[in-house]
Structure formats: C-alpha cells, structure tokens
C-alpha cells in the first residue's frame, strides 16, 4: 500500500537548479514547486529544458548546481530505487522486452499476481486477454498503455511522462489521455499525479491542471 505519510511539501521543490553539459546550459537557475497532485504539463519549444527537468525528478540526471527535494527529502539523500517506485516514469518511445505482457509488468513488480495484473491492464484501458500476449507484437498505442500499466505496478505517487503520445495516432492518444485524466481525479482512491512533457498546445489545454512553461532552460511562466 502506498505510503501516506507526508513530510514537508507534498511534491517537488527545486532551488537554484542548473544543469550544464559542456558549454551548453540545459537548465538555468530554476526555483520551482511542482505539487504531487493533478496533471502538471511542462510546456515549451524543443530544447527548452523540459525533458532535462523531468529526468532530474527521477534521478536519471543530477543538477550541476542547486538542490531538489521530494516531499521534504533532498533527492541526494534518497535511495534511487526506492524513489523510482514512488515516482514512476513513461518515455516517448514505449519500450517492452521479449515475452508476454505479464512478464513486462512483473519487471516492475516481480510478485505481481495475475488478478492484480489484470486490474492494471484494465486501468490502462487494456482487456484481460492482453496478459498472455506477446508484448513485442503489440501496436505502438498498446505498447504505450502496457508501459503505463507497468509504471503503475509499484503504486507510485507521481508518474513522469516524457511526451508519451508523440509517436501515437489520434485514437491511441485519446485513449492514453483518458487513462491519465481518470487516474488523476482527486476523488478517486490513491489518485496518481502526473508531470507531463508536451509541446502540443491542444493537448496541454485538454490535460493540464497547471502549466509550467520553459524557454532556454528558464521558467518563464506558471499557470494553474
């Protein structure tokens, strides 16, 4: 069961965060709060720093300068694997491994039973019969929903999503968006917060409870 105790601010806090790669500054002195509820969209043009910011929140990258806290705890002091069970991530390209869909879900939760796996699939708008299907034979939209189900297998508080519908057709995109909206509903038991990277203004209008806009590595706007 998800840990309910909250220490400090319930979300991410960035204080003076910069990321440099050689001569390039990817993020420049970002101070920001991102709550662990609802759907927060990180908006901006390509190269604005959206994906860099998202990767920092999952400890895939670390800042060159500044600090990041999650629910009051400095990420430098948090066990990486434990953190990634609480903060899941879905990438632009849906990655599955050879084997069944059930095998892929159990990469995240090895003790996952079939009944629990079916609930995850249904949550991600997939039928129970997907459980025994070859994951590598699925369509792009189906693979992405399997990746969503896999991210949810650890009962995360927040899921980070890096343009997860960019390579999907409109029908698959609509299904994924509906899953996200449903999971983020505040009245539902254990709602899942989302931090979602997008440069699609129409998708942002459909999904966002709040929008954080970046440009050239800096936050230039935040609207709830």
């Amino acid at each position: 069961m998800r840990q309910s105790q909250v220490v400090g601010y319930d979300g991410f806090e960035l204080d003076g965060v910069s990321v440099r790669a050689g001569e390039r500054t990817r993020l420049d002195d970002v101070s920001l709060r991102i709550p662990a509820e609802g759907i927060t969209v990180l908006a901006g043009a390509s190269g604005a720093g959206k994906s860099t910011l998202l990767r920092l929140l999952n400890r895939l990258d670390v800042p060159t300068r500044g600090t990041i806290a999650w629910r009051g705890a400095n990420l430098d002091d948090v066990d990486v694997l434990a953190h990634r069970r609480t903060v899941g991530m879905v990438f632009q390209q849906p990655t599955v491994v050879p084997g069944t869909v059930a095998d892929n879900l159990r990469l995240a939760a090895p003790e996952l039973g079939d009944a629990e796996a079916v609930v995850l699939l249904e949550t991600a708008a997939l039928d129970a019969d997907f459980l025994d299907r070859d994951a590598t034979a699925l369509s792009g939209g189906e693979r992405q929903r399997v990746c969503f189900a896999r991210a949810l297998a650890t009962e995360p508080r927040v899921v980070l999503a890096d343009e997860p519908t960019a390579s999907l057709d409109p029908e698959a995109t609509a299904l994924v968006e509906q899953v996200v909206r449903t999971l983020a509903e505040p009245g539902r038991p254990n709602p899942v917060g989302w931090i979602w990277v997008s440069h699609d203004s129409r998708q942002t209008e459909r999904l966002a409870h709040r929008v954080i806009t970046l440009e050239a590595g800096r936050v230039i706007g935040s609207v709830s």
Side-chain angles (χ1 to χ4, degrees):
M1 182 177 294
R2 179 189 294 165
Q3 175 60 257
S4 61
Q5 183 178 4
V6 176
V7 178
Y9 175 69
D10 188 15
F12 287 99
E13 296 174 283
L14 289 79
D15 184 10
V17 170
S18 296
V19 175
R20 296 184 180 276
E23 297 298 315
R24 182 179 177 187
T25 299
R26 296 184 179 274
L27 285 179
D28 187 10
D29 195 27
V30 171
S31 294
L32 182 66
R33 277 186 164 191
I34 307 176
E37 62 180 12
I39 304 170
T40 298
V41 173
L42 304 181
S46 179
K50 305 183 302 297
S51 294
T52 298
L53 175 53
L54 207 69
R55 289 173 63 86
L56 290 175
L57 304 183
N58 198 239
R59 292 290 302 276
L60 290 170
D61 287 331
V62 295
T64 307
R65 183 169 59 83
T67 60
I68 304 173
W70 163 244
R71 306 185 88 187
N74 191 316
L75 283 191
D76 289 343
D77 302 325
V78 173
D79 177 80
V80 172
L81 294 180
H83 178 66
R84 290 176 183 165
R85 294 183 68 82
T86 304
V87 179
M89 191 159 185
V90 179
F91 297 91
Q92 181 173 330
Q93 294 299 326
T95 302
V96 296
V97 300
T100 66
V101 168
D103 293 333
N104 275 264
L105 297 181
R106 290 186 178 112
L107 290 175
E111 305 301 320
L112 189 71
D114 284 353
E116 296 167 305
V118 167
V119 171
L120 287 172
L121 291 181
E122 291 174 344
T123 300
L126 293 170
D127 294 333
D129 63 9
F130 274 83
L131 201 63
D132 296 319
R133 291 196 192 182
D134 178 358
T136 63
L138 301 178
S139 70
E142 291 166 344
R143 287 188 186 198
Q144 191 61 289
R145 279 178 283 155
V146 168
C147 291
F148 271 70
R150 187 171 61 199
L152 296 171
T154 61
E155 298 185 348
R157 180 70 181 87
V158 167
V159 174
L160 312 174
D162 194 358
E163 298 194 75
T165 62
S167 60
L168 303 185
D169 62 35
E171 182 178 358
T173 294
L175 281 169
V176 168
E177 289 180 358
Q178 182 56 50
V179 167
V180 170
R181 283 193 294 266
T182 299
L183 289 168
E185 289 177 359
R188 122 185 220 108
N190 291 328
V192 179
W194 297 81
I195 303 175
W196 182 289
V197 167
S198 181
H199 61 259
D200 182 337
S201 59
R202 291 183 178 179
Q203 182 176 69
T204 297
E205 290 176 3
R206 293 192 298 268
L207 284 181
H209 296 125
R210 66 194 63 82
V211 180
I212 296 169
T213 304
L214 290 95
E215 181 179 293
R218 287 181 169 269
V219 174
I220 61 169
S222 181
V223 179
S224 298

